Amino acid sequence: MPHPVKIRAQIVRGFGRGSKLLGFPTANLDPQAFTQILADNSVKHGVYAGWIHIHPQKEVYKTVLSVGLNPTFHDSVHPTVECYILHRFDSDFYGSTVSLIIGGYIRESVKYGSMDELMEAIKSDEIWGNDMLHTEPQLRKLRDDPFLHEDVDSSMNGNVNESNG
Ligand code: ADP
Ligand code: MG
Protein backbone atom coordinates (compact mmCIF):
# COMPACT_ATOMS: atom_id res chain seq x y z
CA MET A 1 0.00 0.00 0.00
CA PRO A 2 2.10 2.92 -1.26
CA HIS A 3 -0.07 5.72 0.11
CA PRO A 4 -2.98 6.10 2.52
CA VAL A 5 -6.21 4.66 1.15
CA LYS A 6 -9.32 6.85 1.29
CA ILE A 7 -12.85 5.45 1.35
CA ARG A 8 -16.23 7.15 1.53
CA ALA A 9 -19.07 4.78 2.40
CA GLN A 10 -22.29 4.33 4.26
CA ILE A 11 -22.41 2.38 7.52
CA VAL A 12 -24.31 -0.87 7.15
CA ARG A 13 -25.40 -3.57 9.58
CA GLY A 14 -23.09 -6.48 10.29
CA PHE A 15 -23.80 -9.43 12.55
CA GLY A 16 -24.27 -7.23 15.64
CA ARG A 17 -21.38 -9.02 17.25
CA GLY A 18 -18.91 -6.21 17.88
CA SER A 19 -20.73 -4.51 20.71
CA LYS A 20 -22.96 -7.31 21.92
CA LEU A 21 -20.40 -10.07 22.20
CA LEU A 22 -17.09 -8.30 22.55
CA GLY A 23 -17.68 -4.83 23.90
CA PHE A 24 -15.99 -3.33 20.83
CA PRO A 25 -18.55 -2.04 18.34
CA THR A 26 -17.27 -1.93 14.77
CA ALA A 27 -18.90 0.32 12.19
CA ASN A 28 -19.11 -1.81 9.03
CA LEU A 29 -18.62 -0.03 5.71
CA ASP A 30 -20.78 -0.82 2.70
CA PRO A 31 -18.73 -3.25 0.56
CA GLN A 32 -19.94 -1.58 -2.66
CA ALA A 33 -17.90 1.45 -1.68
CA PHE A 34 -14.58 -0.25 -0.97
CA THR A 35 -14.20 -3.49 -2.94
CA GLN A 36 -12.67 -1.81 -6.00
CA ILE A 37 -10.54 0.57 -3.91
CA LEU A 38 -9.01 -2.32 -1.94
CA ALA A 39 -8.21 -4.15 -5.17
CA ASP A 40 -6.79 -1.08 -6.95
CA ASN A 41 -4.49 -0.30 -4.02
CA SER A 42 -3.53 -3.91 -3.21
CA VAL A 43 -4.59 -3.38 0.39
CA LYS A 44 -3.29 -6.28 2.46
CA HIS A 45 -5.74 -7.83 4.93
CA GLY A 46 -4.97 -6.90 8.51
CA VAL A 47 -5.51 -4.35 11.25
CA TYR A 48 -4.78 -0.67 10.62
CA ALA A 49 -4.94 2.69 12.38
CA GLY A 50 -6.71 5.55 10.68
CA TRP A 51 -8.95 8.59 10.88
CA ILE A 52 -12.70 8.72 10.35
CA HIS A 53 -15.27 11.47 9.93
CA ILE A 54 -18.95 10.62 10.42
CA HIS A 55 -20.89 13.11 8.35
CA PRO A 56 -22.40 15.55 9.21
CA GLN A 57 -20.68 15.64 12.61
CA LYS A 58 -17.75 18.00 13.01
CA GLU A 59 -15.04 15.89 14.65
CA VAL A 60 -12.53 13.54 13.11
CA TYR A 61 -11.91 10.49 15.29
CA LYS A 62 -9.15 7.96 15.60
CA THR A 63 -10.06 4.46 14.57
CA VAL A 64 -8.58 1.00 14.62
CA LEU A 65 -9.95 -1.00 11.73
CA SER A 66 -9.82 -4.42 10.25
CA VAL A 67 -9.71 -5.23 6.56
CA GLY A 68 -10.34 -8.90 5.95
CA LEU A 69 -12.37 -12.00 6.44
CA ASN A 70 -12.88 -12.12 10.24
CA PRO A 71 -10.94 -15.37 10.55
CA THR A 72 -11.93 -15.95 14.20
CA PHE A 73 -15.56 -16.22 13.14
CA HIS A 74 -14.88 -17.69 9.67
CA ASP A 75 -18.15 -16.40 8.29
CA SER A 76 -17.02 -13.82 5.73
CA VAL A 77 -16.55 -14.81 2.13
CA HIS A 78 -15.91 -11.26 0.97
CA PRO A 79 -13.64 -8.89 2.86
CA THR A 80 -15.18 -6.48 5.33
CA VAL A 81 -13.92 -3.10 6.49
CA GLU A 82 -14.91 -2.58 10.14
CA CYS A 83 -13.94 0.44 12.21
CA TYR A 84 -13.73 0.48 15.99
CA ILE A 85 -13.83 4.21 16.63
CA LEU A 86 -11.93 5.50 19.66
CA HIS A 87 -14.80 7.58 20.98
CA ARG A 88 -17.94 6.97 23.03
CA PHE A 89 -21.15 7.75 21.14
CA ASP A 90 -24.57 8.25 22.66
CA SER A 91 -26.33 6.51 19.78
CA ASP A 92 -25.78 4.36 16.72
CA PHE A 93 -25.13 5.90 13.31
CA TYR A 94 -26.25 3.24 10.84
CA GLY A 95 -26.92 4.77 7.42
CA SER A 96 -24.51 7.66 7.97
CA THR A 97 -21.83 8.43 5.44
CA VAL A 98 -18.27 8.24 6.69
CA SER A 99 -14.97 9.35 5.20
CA LEU A 100 -12.13 7.05 6.23
CA ILE A 101 -8.38 7.28 5.73
CA ILE A 102 -6.54 4.03 6.29
CA GLY A 103 -3.08 4.96 7.60
CA GLY A 104 -0.71 2.77 9.58
CA TYR A 105 -0.53 -1.00 9.41
CA ILE A 106 -0.68 -2.63 12.87
CA ARG A 107 -0.73 -6.40 12.29
CA GLU A 108 -2.01 -9.20 10.12
CA SER A 109 -5.43 -10.82 10.63
CA VAL A 110 -5.23 -13.70 13.10
CA LYS A 111 -7.62 -16.54 13.83
CA TYR A 112 -7.92 -16.53 17.62
CA GLY A 113 -8.83 -19.60 19.64
CA SER A 114 -11.12 -17.78 22.04
CA MET A 115 -13.07 -14.56 22.53
CA ASP A 116 -10.70 -13.63 25.36
CA GLU A 117 -7.70 -13.77 23.04
CA LEU A 118 -9.50 -11.70 20.42
CA MET A 119 -10.48 -9.11 23.03
CA GLU A 120 -6.93 -8.88 24.35
CA ALA A 121 -5.70 -8.37 20.78
CA ILE A 122 -8.20 -5.58 20.14
CA LYS A 123 -7.22 -3.87 23.39
CA SER A 124 -3.59 -3.85 22.37
CA ASP A 125 -4.51 -2.72 18.83
CA GLU A 126 -6.28 0.23 20.43
CA ILE A 127 -3.18 1.16 22.42
CA TRP A 128 -0.84 0.77 19.44
CA GLY A 129 -3.17 2.55 17.05
CA ASN A 130 -3.72 5.46 19.41
CA ASP A 131 0.02 5.75 19.93
CA MET A 132 0.93 5.56 16.21
CA LEU A 133 -1.60 8.21 15.26
CA HIS A 134 -0.02 10.59 17.77
CA THR A 135 3.65 9.89 17.36
CA GLU A 136 4.12 9.25 13.64
CA PRO A 137 4.06 12.66 11.93
CA GLN A 138 2.91 11.18 8.60
CA LEU A 139 -0.10 9.62 10.30
CA ARG A 140 -0.83 12.56 12.55
CA LYS A 141 -1.06 15.00 9.68
CA LEU A 142 -3.60 12.82 7.83
CA ARG A 143 -6.14 14.07 10.33
CA ASP A 144 -6.15 17.37 8.42
CA ASP A 145 -6.46 15.76 4.98
CA PRO A 146 -9.13 17.63 2.96
CA PHE A 147 -10.74 14.31 2.02
CA LEU A 148 -12.01 13.93 5.59
CA HIS A 149 -13.46 17.41 5.67
CA GLU A 150 -15.14 17.65 2.27
CA ASP A 151 -18.88 18.18 2.24
CA VAL A 152 -20.53 14.99 1.14
CA ASP A 153 -23.42 14.88 -1.29
CA SER A 154 -26.54 14.86 0.87
CA SER A 155 -28.07 12.20 -1.38
CA MET A 156 -25.46 9.82 0.06
CA ASN A 157 -26.90 10.51 3.50
CA GLY A 158 -30.36 9.16 2.80
CA ASN A 159 -32.04 7.36 5.67
CA VAL A 160 -31.82 3.69 4.78
CA ASN A 161 -35.21 3.01 6.35
CA GLU A 162 -37.15 5.52 4.31
CA SER A 163 -38.16 4.99 0.72
CA ASN A 164 -38.95 8.55 -0.28
CA GLY A 165 -36.21 10.37 1.67
P1 ADP B 1 -22.78 -4.53 13.45
O1 ADP B 1 -22.50 -5.99 13.40
O2 ADP B 1 -24.15 -4.17 12.91
O3 ADP B 1 -21.67 -3.74 12.82
P2 ADP B 1 -21.69 -3.81 16.03
O4 ADP B 1 -22.00 -4.56 17.29
O5 ADP B 1 -20.33 -4.01 15.42
O6 ADP B 1 -22.83 -4.14 15.00
O7 ADP B 1 -21.92 -2.28 16.35
C1 ADP B 1 -21.59 -1.33 15.36
C2 ADP B 1 -22.47 -0.10 15.39
O8 ADP B 1 -22.38 0.52 16.67
C3 ADP B 1 -21.97 0.92 14.39
O9 ADP B 1 -22.55 0.75 13.10
C4 ADP B 1 -22.39 2.24 15.03
O10 ADP B 1 -23.68 2.61 14.57
C5 ADP B 1 -22.42 1.93 16.52
N1 ADP B 1 -21.29 2.46 17.31
C6 ADP B 1 -21.43 3.08 18.49
N2 ADP B 1 -20.24 3.42 19.01
C7 ADP B 1 -19.29 3.00 18.13
C8 ADP B 1 -17.85 3.08 18.13
N3 ADP B 1 -17.17 3.65 19.12
N4 ADP B 1 -17.20 2.53 17.06
C9 ADP B 1 -17.90 1.95 16.06
N5 ADP B 1 -19.25 1.84 16.02
C10 ADP B 1 -19.97 2.37 17.05
MG1 MG C 1 -19.62 -4.27 13.27
Side-chain angles (χ1 to χ4, degrees), residues 119-136:
M119 283 170 68
E120 285 308 313
I122 299 173
K123 278 185 212 161
S124 90
D125 294 338
E126 178 174 0
I127 293 166
W128 268 106
N130 192 36
D131 193 63
M132 282 165 83
L133 290 164
H134 270 303
T135 56
E136 294 184 23

Side-chain angles (χ1 to χ4, degrees), residues 145-161:
D145 193 291
F147 176 79
L148 292 173
H149 301 273
E150 279 163 18
D151 272 344
V152 299
D153 178 359
S154 55
S155 67
M156 275 190 79
N157 259 329
N159 185 322
V160 289
N161 296 314

